[in-house]
Structures are given as structure tokens and as C-alpha cells.
Amino acid sequence: MSDIQFDGVTKVFGRGGKPFTAIGGIDFHVNDNEFISVVGPSGCGKTTLMRMVAGLETPTDGEVRVGGEKVTKPGPDRAVVFQQFALFPWKTVRKNITFGMRSRGASKAERDEAVAHYLKLMKMEGTEDSYPHQLSGGMQQRVAIARSYATDPGVLLMDEPFGALDAQTRTIMQEELVRLSHVNPRTVLFITHSVEEAVYLADRVVVMGRNPGKIREVIDVASTRKAEKWSEEPIDDVMEMPSFTHLRGQVWRLLREEMGEDI
Amino acid sequence: MDKRTPWGRVVTRSSITGVITVAVVIALWFFLTSVTGIVGQYRFPSPQDFLASFVRLATEGYAGGTLIEQTLQSLWLVACGFFTAIVIGVPLGFAMGYDRRIEAFLNPVFLLLRPIPPLAWIPLAIVWLGLSDGSKILVIFVAAFVPSVINTFTGVRNVDRTLVEAAKVHGAGTSRLISEVYLPDAAPMIFTGLRLSLQASWTTLVAAELVGAFLGLGRVLSTAYRDINTAMILVAMVVIAIAGAFTTILLAQVEKRVIKWRTT
């Protein structure tokens, strides 16, 4: 079980100076193998929320539990995909993908198998010995995603993973991520600025508000996706379906209210 | 069109221009000294004097040793001082960059020692260790130590935080963080430090040998100066330049082999 439980989670930054409440008391439960998208205006603390699950930040008050265990530090049960890919420039694709596996003590055979598996899945065969700078942005992010999946974490945390990619690459990556999470279902917390992306990928979309960061509303997408058979259609067709545009409009209205005078 | 030399450099139009420039300078040198005598041999040697002095140093020797002996002596001292400095300096700079408590502990010592020019250590080194190799190695050590510490420190302190976090969330412990993230990320800065240390080593060596030595290229220089032998002075200068360049190229080769992932 890799569910995530937020219990009265509060995060205040700036000891000494003027304290800033980034997250003001969040209670929320993410089910095992559920895909959650998080959207919200900038400064609503969505990245902070993710970093607390990763163990890169500690809540000022309350606690985060993953699989029932309180999070105190980073661990291989939770992997992060960063917006700027964060691949090790001095490691080949192979060594990058297997970085987390080596922490777990995976054998060479297991590692070779994983590299072959993920590169095939991402149609990147033959790039094993390339260095990251020799790859395009989209390919680099595929490697970063493979690195996180290969660690075999219960929870995948993605902080605007497609934010640095161009529009076409982004669309392809969204489709691939859907495919990947069908093959390897994981509990995912996916942070994004894009409402389309959030609705297309998630089982539930969390809309956050700010001052302080809190959950404004949670919108269910999974039942619609199943009923309208989204997974059987290509992404651009899905995004034109009335069921999709309806949900997208709903998320947009909430966001617009939260952004207020910023628009 | 392009041809590769043993150093991997590409022969291009600009390097041909360079060859022409050097040829012109040598021709001018020949003209001013041997042909016209505008510049007298006590101010600057003619090309023939220079070659004669070089042959003399190489065959019968000068100032207590032949070219090979003098050069090896200097190379040996540079190697001793340089390696001692980096073997202690790089780990120290690394520790200071990695852990702020170590920095807080050691930084005051550096703030006190840094403003002292390395050459100012020569008298104390001679008082302590005489005109032996030891005193020169000590001074080279002092000169080479600071750049390797400071640059390693800067490289480690400015490590890419996202990469550190990426390693942590993929389960890396302290030893993997150090060897697989901090060290490679700081490597280009560490090599910058090594290059500066090497330069400082040569500068200091020559100064220390000028002050007092029984053997070495600096000794050739100081003896030639007492003999007012401008040709031998020039020979020593050129040999020092070549020896220095040789070690710099060697270091660059090591760097190229270590940093294979260079993006440019």
C-alpha cells in the first residue's frame, strides 16, 4: 500500500524574518495507485506540498504519511521527477536510469533488464551510452521519468515535469505518461500549471488556493474517463470531447476565482 | 583541409598566421642583433649566441649541471610541492565546501594566511630548511595550496542543489552523494584550481631557486645573471617556459580524460 495521508499539514517559512505560511492546514488522502493532479495559482504552495511528501521539506505542523509511515526524510519509496529533469550530466543514460536501483541494491542483470525495458517503452533504444546533453529535452525527461519508475517507488512525485518542453513534445509525453501508468500503476502526485494536462492525466484534480495555501476543491475525473472511454482515444480527440471540456471549464472557473485580480 | 597535430589542435588559417608572425619576429631578432648590431650582445643575444648557449648547457652543462639535470631537478621540486599541496588542499577545500561547520572552523586560518604573498615565505623557509630541496618544496606548497583549496571549496559550495535532491530522492546515501554528485559536479572547478596551483608552483620555484639553490633552472638563471651571460639567461627562460607548458598540457590531458561528459 502506498497511499498518502496529509494530516493538518502546515508549512511556515522564514524563521527570524517575516514568517510566511505557505501551506495552512491541509487534510487530504490519496488512494493507492491513484493519479492526482494539483493545480493552483503560483504561490499556493503546491511545490511545497510535493516536497514535504518527498521528505525534502518538513511540515511545521501536522504530518505526511506514506503507506502509514510518517515521512521524515527522502526515501526510495518516493521518487521525484523534476521540472529541470535533474539528470546527472556525468552519467550515461544507462547509469542515470539505474541510479535509484543501485540504491536498492539491484543486481546487474536486473539493472540491464530495466534499462532495456524502459528504453523500449520510450522508443529510445540505442541511447544507453549517450550523455544527457546529447539528447533532446523530451528525451531527457523520458530518461528522468524512467529513472524514477525504475527505482520502483510506491509514490511518484512530479513537479511540472513537462513545463520545460515545447508544446508538441509535451502532448506526446502526456500520452506516454498515460500509457506508462497503465503498464505500471503508481500513486502519483502531479503538479502542473496546465488545466488540460491536469484533467487529461488525473483520476482527481486538486485545485489549490493561496494565502495561505489550502485545498479549494477536489474534482473527480476517473468516473468520467471510464464512462467516456478516454483511454481508447488519442489525446487531441479526448480534449475535444464535451465530457472533457466540461471538466476543464469547471477547473478553470475555480482557478480563475482563486487567481482573482491576477488575471 | 584541417590537419591534426599530436596535441589534437587543428591547423587552420589562424595558426598559419601565427607561424608567419613567429617567423617575422625571429627574422627581426636576427636583423637587430647579428646583421646590424643595433642591439649589442650584452643587452640581448643574437640567435647564434642563443643556440650556442643552448648546446653548451645541453652538452657540457652550466651552473653545476647539464640541461637534463637542471630541468629534472626543477620538475622534481614542482612535482613534490604541487602534489603535496593538492593532496592536502583538495580534500580540505572539499570538506569546507561540504560542511559549513568545517568552513567556520578553518576559514579564519585562511583569512590570516591568504594575504601573505607566497614569495614572502622564502626567507622563513630558508631559515628553517636551508638551501635544501625542502625549503623550495615548502614554498611551492604554500603557493599551490591556496588556489586548490579555494577553487575546490567554491566548486563544492556551488553544487547544483537540484542534482543533490535528485540523488537523495533516489536513495543515495552520503558516500554516493559525495562520489557521484559533489565530486563530478565540482570537477571543472577543482581542475581550475589545479591549473592555478600549477602556475603558482612554477612562479614560486623560479623565485626560490633565484634566491639560492645548488641546482635547477632558477640556479642557471641566477648564475647566468652574475656572469652577465644574456644568451644563457634567455636559454633558461625558454627552457622554464617549455617545462611549464609541458606540465600544463599534461594536466589538461588528465582533465580531458576525467571530465568525459563535457558538454562543449
Side-chain angles (χ1 to χ4, degrees):
Chain A
M1 276 290 279
S2 293
D3 61 327
I4 310 170
Q5 177 69 45
F6 297 92
D7 255 346
V9 174
T10 300
K11 180 70 185 178
V12 181
F13 285 111
R15 274 173 299 175
K18 199 175 153 216
F20 166 72
T21 308
I23 305 273
I26 282 187
D27 295 291
F28 187 63
H29 185 256
V30 181
N31 299 315
D32 191 32
N33 286 350
E34 190 178 24
F35 198 121
I36 298 284
S37 288
V38 182
V39 292
S42 40
C44 72
K46 43 192 195 298
T47 295
T48 308
L49 195 71
M50 186 217 77
R51 289 173 63 83
M52 287 193 290
V53 182
L56 294 170
E57 305 275 3
T58 320
T60 315
D61 198 18
E63 63 180 41
V64 179
R65 286 194 301 276
V66 170
E69 296 266 333
K70 184 182 172 181
V71 172
T72 53
K73 59 178 194 322
D77 57 327
R78 289 151 284 136
V80 182
V81 178
F82 296 86
Q83 180 175 8
Q84 293 306 331
F85 320 147
L87 293 175
F88 304 112
W90 43 86
K91 287 182 183 286
T92 58
V93 167
R94 178 197 306 281
K95 291 274 175 65
N96 265 291
I97 292 179
T98 56
F99 186 88
M101 301 184 74
R102 283 182 47 220
S103 311
R104 292 201 147 187
S107 71
K108 186 167 187 317
E110 280 177 88
R111 282 180 286 162
D112 287 346
E113 200 191 310
V115 170
H117 171 73
Y118 284 106
L119 289 184
K120 185 157 184 286
L121 207 59
M122 307 206 165
K123 301 184 187 75
M124 282 181 60
E125 294 101 325
T127 57
E128 291 86 341
D129 299 315
S130 305
Y131 285 99
H133 72 89
Q134 297 169 309
L135 306 175
S136 69
M139 283 168 119
Q140 290 189 44
Q141 193 58 304
R142 283 184 184 89
V143 173
I145 291 170
R147 175 178 63 182
S148 292
Y149 264 101
T151 312
D152 199 23
V155 174
L156 268 169
L157 305 162
M158 303 198 184
D159 187 7
E160 297 191 39
F162 307 146
L165 304 177
D166 61 82
Q168 295 101 303
T169 313
R170 191 173 179 143
T171 309
I172 293 165
M173 294 293 288
Q174 287 162 356
E175 246 179 345
E176 281 189 15
L177 188 59
V178 165
R179 203 159 47 84
L180 202 58
S181 43
H182 274 292
V183 185
N184 294 298
R186 292 294 146 86
T187 310
V188 181
L189 207 56
F190 188 96
I191 292 171
T192 178
H193 267 122
S194 157
V195 174
E196 281 81 12
E197 186 170 272
V199 174
Y200 176 73
L201 294 171
D203 294 321
R204 285 191 289 165
V205 177
V206 170
V207 182
M208 289 184 71
R210 61 184 165 188
N211 297 324
K214 57 187 176 295
I215 292 181
R216 170 68 199 273
E217 192 133 354
V218 181
I219 292 158
D220 182 75
V221 182
S223 55
T224 313
R225 169 180 295 111
K226 199 171 279 174
E228 298 281 324
K229 298 188 171 60
W230 286 3
S231 54
E232 291 169 21
E233 305 288 338
I235 181 167
D236 35 332
D237 290 350
V238 172
M239 288 187 176
E240 282 171 9
M241 288 163 79
S243 57
F244 182 88
T245 51
H246 171 76
L247 283 169
R248 185 184 61 189
Q250 206 181 334
V251 175
W252 251 121
R253 272 189 297 280
L254 286 162
L255 256 184
R256 194 162 297 170
E257 283 168 31
E258 280 308 322
M259 287 179 167
E261 66 271 25
D262 279 13
I263 302 179
Chain B
M1 281 279 281
D2 289 350
K3 275 188 184 167
R4 290 203 164 265
T5 65
W7 287 280
R9 296 258 170 80
V10 173
V11 178
T12 60
R13 190 180 292 267
S14 70
S15 59
I16 292 168
T17 315
V19 170
I20 293 171
T21 309
V22 172
V24 169
V25 168
I26 290 174
L28 202 65
W29 175 24
F30 195 70
F31 179 78
L32 288 175
T33 53
S34 310
V35 180
T36 61
I38 293 172
V39 178
Q41 63 161 317
Y42 291 107
R43 293 194 188 283
F44 206 78
S46 65
Q48 304 98 295
D49 290 345
F50 174 79
L51 272 179
S53 292
F54 185 83
V55 171
R56 184 182 159 200
L57 178 61
T59 52
E60 63 189 86
Y62 183 78
T66 60
L67 174 69
I68 300 288
E69 287 164 339
Q70 306 281 24
T71 309
L72 284 181
Q73 164 72 8
S74 291
L75 272 173
W76 168 245
L77 294 184
V78 163
C80 287
F82 173 73
F83 282 113
T84 321
I86 67 170
V87 161
I88 300 174
V90 171
L92 202 67
F94 197 101
M96 286 169 66
Y98 186 77
D99 193 328
R100 284 180 193 272
R101 284 166 301 180
I102 298 175
E103 187 206 352
F105 185 68
L106 291 175
N107 212 27
V109 183
F110 273 90
L111 290 178
L112 283 174
L113 293 181
R114 253 179 90 181
I116 304 172
L119 301 186
W121 286 86
I122 294 175
L124 200 56
I126 291 176
V127 170
W128 286 347
L129 300 164
L131 293 180
S132 67
D133 290 355
S135 65
K136 283 159 205 76
I137 293 171
L138 176 66
V139 181
I140 295 168
F141 169 81
V142 172
F145 185 62
V146 175
S148 59
V149 173
I150 307 265
N151 285 280
T152 306
F153 167 79
T154 310
V156 173
R157 178 54 53 84
N158 294 334
V159 69
D160 187 335
R161 292 285 148 199
T162 313
L163 291 183
V164 173
E165 290 188 340
K168 281 183 178 168
V169 300
H170 291 100
T174 308
S175 67
R176 281 190 83 199
L177 268 181
I178 288 175
S179 64
E180 295 183 41
V181 181
Y182 279 90
L183 210 50
D185 200 44
M189 271 307 276
I190 295 175
F191 272 102
T192 301
L194 298 189
R195 232 175 357 255
L196 294 172
S197 287
L198 189 58
Q199 280 166 18
S201 298
W202 278 103
T203 309
T204 327
L205 168 93
V206 173
E209 283 185 343
L210 274 174
V211 172
F214 305 113
L215 204 62
L217 294 169
R219 158 90 173 168
V220 175
L221 210 51
S222 63
T223 309
Y225 141 75
R226 276 182 213 115
D227 293 351
I228 321 179
N229 185 341
T230 52
M232 196 57 88
I233 289 176
L234 196 63
V235 167
M237 285 168 69
V238 168
V239 173
I240 289 167
I242 291 170
F246 168 72
T247 54
T248 309
I249 289 169
L250 217 59
L251 183 65
Q253 289 297 320
V254 173
E255 180 177 2
K256 221 165 84 181
R257 235 147 266 196
V258 172
I259 307 179
K260 290 187 293 252
W261 63 88
R262 262 281 148 86
T263 48
T264 45

